[in-house]
Amino acid sequence: MKVLTKNTDYAIRALLSLAASKGGFLSARAISLEQEIPYQFLRRLLQEMIRHGLVSSKEGVSGGFKLAKDPDTIRVSDLIGIFQGPVKVSDCMFRKQICANRARCVLRHEIMRIEQVVQQEFDNITIGKLLRDLDAANASIYAGVLLADKTEKNGRSHPQNKA
């Protein structure tokens, strides 16, 4: 069972790059390199996101791609819907046919409840929230590096300073 496909994952990563550019245009090549997404694969994803009104494009030297919507309005559930369809835990299939027990299956009702919960959780995650989470994580890492550098400069980590 895959919750997110490669298409959805790459689309989220591309949108994070665009959101981080604060309204500026980024080339597909720059996004591809930054996010380590195959260039041709990314171009197809960007075209699909243009078609759904999430991204706009501009040709020319100063062109590229940019978000067409506020990052706080782009939900991960929207991207899942675009690139893989509704969240499904089970297809209720048996040998490539709809299960004959589907109508009275008690497990199916529980699975549908779980799918609704998962859908609601993905509805609550936006590109804006993910960008803020990423910025906070990067700030935390940066603070840790600064602290380590400061400790090292104060001589606490040098073996020759130990008694």
Side-chain angles (χ1 to χ4, degrees):
M1 168 182 68
K2 278 188 178 181
V3 176
L4 294 180
T5 64
K6 187 176 283 193
N7 285 357
T8 304
D9 176 51
Y10 284 172
I12 291 167
R13 290 165 46 192
L15 290 176
L16 284 170
S17 286
L18 293 173
S21 75
K22 308 282 188 220
F25 284 93
L26 286 179
S27 71
R29 182 76 58 203
I31 298 167
S32 170
L33 291 171
E34 177 185 338
Q35 295 294 337
E36 298 179 6
I37 301 171
Y39 177 73
Q40 291 301 330
F41 197 96
L42 174 64
R43 291 207 39 97
R44 281 196 318 271
L45 296 176
L46 289 167
Q47 291 305 316
E48 190 66 21
M49 288 189 281
I50 288 171
R51 203 167 70 76
H52 283 88
L54 302 175
V55 172
S56 62
S57 65
K58 176 178 154 187
E59 291 187 27
V61 177
S62 62
F65 299 88
K66 74 175 188 172
L67 288 183
K69 294 175 77 175
D70 181 327
D72 285 314
T73 66
I74 303 172
R75 301 175 306 175
V76 168
S77 61
D78 298 332
L79 296 166
I80 291 170
I82 291 168
F83 291 105
Q84 62 192 71
V87 173
K88 292 286 178 200
V89 176
S90 172
D91 285 334
C92 294
M93 302 290 276
F94 181 70
R95 293 188 181 155
K96 298 183 181 179
Q97 306 234 343
I98 297 289
C99 177
N101 190 41
R102 186 174 181 203
R104 54 184 193 277
C105 177
V106 293
L107 180 57
R108 179 171 178 268
H109 295 289
E110 289 301 314
I111 289 171
M112 289 170 55
R113 183 187 60 75
I114 292 167
E115 288 171 349
Q116 286 177 335
V117 169
V118 171
Q119 179 69 36
Q120 288 169 349
E121 289 299 316
F122 280 127
D123 283 347
N124 293 331
I125 304 169
T126 66
I127 295 301
K129 180 193 180 313
L130 291 175
L131 185 61
R132 288 186 295 278
D133 292 349
L134 182 61
D135 288 345
N138 287 338
S140 175
I141 290 168
Y142 181 70
V145 169
L146 286 178
L147 181 62
D149 285 350
K150 184 177 179 182
T151 302
E152 187 174 308
K153 286 178 185 172
N154 288 337
R156 292 188 197 143
S157 64
H158 292 294
Q160 66 268 24
N161 291 345
K162 292 185 180 176

